[in-house]
Amino acid sequence: GVEMLRRLLRAYCAGRHLHIGYCQGMNFVAAMLLTVMHGETDGEEKAFWMFALIVERLLPADYYEQSLMGVRIDSQVLITLMKERLPSLHAHFEASGVLPLLPIVTTQWFIALFVFWLPTESLMRLWDCFYFEGLKNKNKIFFRAALTLFKLHEKELKQLDDVQASAMLAQFWR
C-alpha cells in the first residue's frame, strides 16, 4: 500500500497541484481512501479522484497550503463554537491554561479529517455526512464532530488539572 500511497500523493502534489505541495495530513486522508477502495476495479484511480474532490471542492481552498491557514482558522472557529456551545468546558480550559493548547489537538483532527481519532466505522459515517453536505456546508460536519467529542468527554476533561489536561490533550484520544 505504501507504493500506491506514494503514487497518489506524487500524482496530486507534483502533477495536479504544484501550488499546494505536500502536507503531512494529506497522507492520512489518501491512505484511508486507498484502504476503502482497495480491491475495487481502478481503486487507486478512484481514490485519487476522491482525494482531488476533497481537497479542491469540499474543503476550504487554503486547507492544505503551506500556511495551513484554513486549518488554523477552523481551529480558532472551533474554540469560538466551544465557548458558545460548551461554555463551562471552555471556561475550565481557560482557567486551567489549557485553552492555548487546543489548536495543537484540533489542527491534527482537521488536517487528517479525523482519521486517527475515530474508529473506522464512525469515521466512515462522518465522511459520508461530509460528502453529502460538503459543497453547501464545506466542513461544518467536522465542527459538529469535534464539539461532540468534547461533549462526550466533558466530565473527564473538567476533572483534570492543567498539567494532566495538557498531557491528555497531547495524546488526545489516540
Side-chain angles (χ1 to χ4, degrees), residues 22 51 57 62 67 75 109 119 125 131 152 168:
Y22 171 76
F51 183 78
R57 307 244 353 248
D62 52 2
S67 69
S75 290
W109 287 354
R125 290 277 293 161
Y131 297 140
L152 287 171
M168 182 178 181

Side-chain angles (χ1 to χ4, degrees), residues 3-30:
E3 195 52 44
M4 286 191 304
L5 179 60
R6 185 175 289 124
R7 282 192 303 266
L8 188 153
L9 291 171
R10 268 196 196 133
Y12 190 79
C13 299
R16 185 167 172 90
H17 274 284
L18 291 170
H19 73 282
I20 291 178
Y22 171 76
C23 169
Q24 189 173 3
M26 291 175 160
N27 63 341
F28 304 118
V29 176

